[in-house]
Each structure stands twice: as structure tokens, then as C-alpha cells.
Amino acid sequence: MIVGIKDGMKLIGIFIMSFCAVFVCTLFLNYNIDFAGIKDQITTPELMVLFDALLATGKVVSALAGGCLLLTSGIMLVFYIRNYIDTHKKELGILKALGYSNLRIAKDFQVFALSVFAGTAVGFGGAFLMMPAFYRTQGKDGLLPEITLHFHPMLAVELIIIPTVAFALLAVGYACIKLRQPAIDLLKERLSMPRKPFSGKVKEDASADGIPFLKEVQSATLRSKKTLVFFVAFGSFCYSSMMQMSGSMDELASEMFACMVFIIGVLLSSITLLLAITTVVHGNTKTIAMMRVFGYTHEECKRAVLGGYRPWAYLGFVIGSIYQYAILKIMVSVVFKDWDNVPEYKFDVKTCIIVLISFAILYKLIMYCYAGKIKKVLLKEVMME
């Protein structure tokens, strides 16, 4: 078995995302199920408005937070499988040359779903540990009847078993697609990529300071790692939207919910950014080593390999700011439109500036740390691989 259990348990990023998704969904969906049981006890139209608003809030939060996190976990799983196949081409090529079918090899990739199972199971259990405090926080105003906490087995099936099976099928299916290459190409570690036809025009030579060449390296790095561009932008998106959203939750929701949003935002953004930049550095070690041999400075190597991701990071931040404003505006204007005493939500410029400054510091710190890794790349180590 080329893909072992240890390989599946290395996907710490998917584990954390699955944990966060199921943790949030379990809290709100379990509360919604128990909360729906007190509908017959509500006697006034005003309380019925509050009842409907709280139910809608649980559905919206579960759909947006849980759905977004699970979708990202799926994208990350595909990325891991693609990266694993690209780094184990020779072993896979040998198996195909020995007569193993694509499906027979791909079945081993179902172990990648172990990280999903572990994350969803721990998230489900953690949510039930938090559930009593969450129920007390939701009913702290005393306007609605007391809600009794119940365990719902079908919720465990829907949030643990079904996602695990779905991710196992996704892993096997995507691995089958990626393995549709001749064994000789895998053995030679050749990528089956369409080549752009030669136009007959030769690019101008680089200038004396090498700037055009560095720009070309930067552009080539982005083109060859399009998935990583998404992860960098998505990490910035998560940080921007979650941090700004948590700053508004003390007025629109509870402090506990604001804390959850803050923690999820930090985890999501940190994991995606670290994953993306780690893969960029590891995937360009040969390029970095050769640039160092030809006399390019550490700063030029850093700019060529990592510099192109900065605009995408800040684009993700802008989109995240717009997204969180739109979501909260919809929540206040649509979900709570019939509920009195709900403050009007406006875009918080001060919070946005604070989050932007903190993001700039965090992004600079991450880039600084990985720039140090670039500096340690040696030609001898690369050539001995």
C-alpha cells in the first residue's frame, strides 16, 4: 500500500477545518432542533418573531460557516492528493508498470478521509461539551421558555459519517483521474500538460540588472501554482471577513459567538497561508538554488518566488471586507427585519483599518519566516535529490 494511514493523518489542515465546520454546525443545528420543540409554548406575536429570527440565524450560520469550511476542506483534499501524486510519480509508475489498475491504486487514497473523520468526530464531541454554555447564552434574556438539551443521532450521521464517506469517494475519484497517465510518463516524472505553440517571436534579452527575468520567474511561479494563488487569496479572505465580523458580533450576537468567529478566522487564514507558501517554497527549490548560483541575491530570489502573491493576498482582503458587510447587512435587514431593538448595521471603517494593519503585519511576518527558508536552500541538496 503506497498510501498509508500516516499519510492520511498528516492532513492537519483538513482536520482543523473539518473540526471548525462540524463544531459550528453541531452547535446551531442541535440548538435549532431542540428550539423548534418549544414552538407550541409561544403565545405572543412578538415572541414568534424572535423565534423565527433565531431559527433563521441558526440555518444561515450553519449553511455559510459549515458549507464554506467543508468546501474549502474538499479543495484542500484535492490539492493534497495532487501534490502527493506529483511527488510520488516513480512509485506510482512502477505499480502501473506491474499491472495495477488506476482504481486499485486509487483505492488506497481513501485513507485521506481519516483526517475528515477525526476532525468531524472531535468537532461533534467538542460542540456537545460547549452545548450547555451555548444554550444558556442563547436564552440569557429569559424571553423564551427554557430549552432542554437532547442528543440527536441523525445529526451525528449527517455531520460525521456522510462527510467522511463523501470525502473518501472524492479522494478515490480524483486520484483515478490524476492517475490516467502512461506508466512511462510517471516513471520519467513527466507532466502531461498542453504546450503553448511557438509563435516565432523570441523574447528580448534581460536587461543588465536582470529585472525582466525576475518578473518572468514571478509570473511563471504564479502560472504553475494557480491553486496556491487561490489559497493565498482565500486565507486573506478568511482573515478579513472573520476578524471584521467578530468585531461586530458583540452588538448583533453574543460574545461567545464573536469569540468562535475570531478563532475560526485565525485558524483558517493561518492554515491556508502556511500551506500555500510552504508548497511554493518547496516546489521552487531548484529554481531558487539555480538563481543563487547565477549570482542573484536573497532579496531578488524572495521577490521572484514570493512577491507575486502579495496583490492576490490584498485582493482577498478586499473581497472579505465586502463579503462580511453583505452577510451582516442581509442578516440585519432580512432575517431580523421584524424584530425591534436591532441596531442598524453600518460598515465599520475603524475595525477595517485595524484588521488591515494586523493582516499586513501577519502577512509580512509569514513572508519573513519563509524568506529565511529560501536563504537556506542549497544547490548541493537539490542536485542530490
Side-chain angles (χ1 to χ4, degrees), residues 90 285-291 293-294 377-385:
K90 287 185 178 179
T285 51
K286 292 183 180 179
T287 303
I288 297 167
M290 293 305 298
M291 288 177 67
V293 168
F294 285 106
V377 173
L378 300 176
L379 179 62
K380 181 179 178 181
E381 295 178 358
V382 174
M383 297 305 292
M384 289 180 64
E385 292 181 357

Side-chain angles (χ1 to χ4, degrees), residues 58-198:
K59 293 177 181 178
V60 171
V61 170
S62 299
L64 291 176
C68 181
L69 288 168
L70 287 176
L71 176 62
T72 307
S73 299
I75 296 173
M76 189 172 285
L77 179 66
V78 168
F79 173 79
Y80 272 117
I81 293 173
R82 180 178 180 179
N83 187 63
Y84 185 91
I85 292 176
D86 288 342
T87 55
H88 292 77
K89 284 181 177 291
K90 287 185 178 179
E91 297 96 320
L92 295 170
I94 291 172
L95 290 177
K96 292 193 69 172
L98 291 174
Y100 284 75
S101 66
N102 291 338
L103 180 60
R104 187 175 178 183
I105 299 173
K107 283 196 300 184
D108 289 345
F109 284 86
Q110 63 186 315
V111 301
F112 282 121
L114 285 176
S115 58
V116 177
F117 174 76
T120 53
V122 174
F124 191 84
F128 264 90
L129 292 177
M130 180 70 70
M131 203 81 73
F134 182 74
Y135 274 46
R136 287 195 299 270
T137 301
Q138 292 292 91
K140 65 181 180 180
D141 295 332
L143 299 176
L144 295 170
E146 185 177 351
I147 301 170
T148 304
L149 173 62
H150 296 91
F151 175 75
H152 304 283
M154 277 306 298
L155 200 59
V157 174
E158 294 170 356
L159 296 179
I160 300 176
I161 306 301
I162 293 178
T164 301
V165 174
F167 274 78
L169 293 174
L170 173 64
V172 173
Y174 184 72
C176 277
I177 295 174
K178 285 292 294 179
L179 289 169
R180 288 179 182 174
Q181 303 179 46
I184 190 65
D185 285 354
L186 292 171
L187 288 169
K188 291 181 177 180
E189 297 186 341
R190 184 189 305 163
L191 291 174
S192 56
M193 296 171 58
R195 294 188 177 183
K196 186 177 179 180
F198 180 60

Side-chain angles (χ1 to χ4, degrees), residues 290-335:
M290 293 305 298
M291 288 177 67
R292 297 277 296 279
V293 168
F294 285 106
Y296 287 94
T297 65
H298 169 65
E299 190 64 30
E300 289 171 329
C301 293
K302 183 181 72 173
R303 188 166 66 249
V305 176
L306 301 178
Y309 292 94
R310 185 178 293 106
W312 294 99
Y314 285 99
L315 176 62
F317 186 93
V318 172
I319 296 174
S321 299
I322 298 172
Y323 170 82
Q324 66 86 25
Y325 172 75
I327 290 298
L328 292 180
K329 193 70 175 178
I330 291 172
M331 287 286 292
V332 172
S333 303
V334 178
V335 177

Side-chain angles (χ1 to χ4, degrees), residues 150-361:
H150 296 91
F151 175 75
H152 304 283
M154 277 306 298
L155 200 59
V157 174
E158 294 170 356
L159 296 179
I160 300 176
I161 306 301
I162 293 178
T164 301
V165 174
F167 274 78
L169 293 174
L170 173 64
V172 173
Y174 184 72
C176 277
I177 295 174
K178 285 292 294 179
L179 289 169
R180 288 179 182 174
Q181 303 179 46
I184 190 65
D185 285 354
L186 292 171
L187 288 169
K188 291 181 177 180
E189 297 186 341
R190 184 189 305 163
L191 291 174
S192 56
M193 296 171 58
R195 294 188 177 183
K196 186 177 179 180
F198 180 60
S199 61
K201 296 181 179 179
V202 181
K203 292 185 177 180
E204 296 180 0
D205 293 334
S207 59
D209 57 3
I211 297 301
F213 171 73
L214 294 180
K215 287 184 177 180
E216 179 61 27
V217 172
Q218 187 180 92
S219 177
T221 302
L222 294 177
R223 289 197 304 269
S224 63
K225 305 289 182 182
K226 295 185 179 67
T227 309
L228 299 181
V229 174
F230 165 79
F231 278 125
V232 170
F234 181 76
S236 308
F237 169 88
C238 292
Y239 188 89
S240 172
S241 58
M242 296 295 188
M243 294 302 100
Q244 294 184 63
M245 199 177 292
S246 65
S248 303
M249 285 300 167
D250 55 348
E251 296 181 1
L252 301 177
S254 63
E255 292 182 0
M256 178 185 293
F257 188 65
C259 183
M260 286 194 307
V261 171
F262 178 83
I263 294 173
I264 290 174
V266 171
L267 288 174
L268 266 178
S269 56
S270 301
I271 291 169
T272 50
L273 285 173
L274 290 174
L275 168 68
I277 300 172
T278 300
T279 309
V280 168
V281 174
H282 289 171
N284 291 275
T285 51
K286 292 183 180 179
T287 303
I288 297 167
M290 293 305 298
M291 288 177 67
R292 297 277 296 279
V293 168
F294 285 106
Y296 287 94
T297 65
H298 169 65
E299 190 64 30
E300 289 171 329
C301 293
K302 183 181 72 173
R303 188 166 66 249
V305 176
L306 301 178
Y309 292 94
R310 185 178 293 106
W312 294 99
Y314 285 99
L315 176 62
F317 186 93
V318 172
I319 296 174
S321 299
I322 298 172
Y323 170 82
Q324 66 86 25
Y325 172 75
I327 290 298
L328 292 180
K329 193 70 175 178
I330 291 172
M331 287 286 292
V332 172
S333 303
V334 178
V335 177
F336 295 100
K337 63 179 180 179
D338 298 323
W339 193 13
D340 297 331
N341 301 322
V342 177
E344 182 182 357
Y345 178 70
K346 297 181 180 179
F347 187 80
D348 193 338
V349 178
K350 181 180 178 181
T351 301
C352 180
I353 293 174
I354 294 173
V355 174
L356 176 60
I357 294 173
S358 66
F359 172 75
I361 295 173

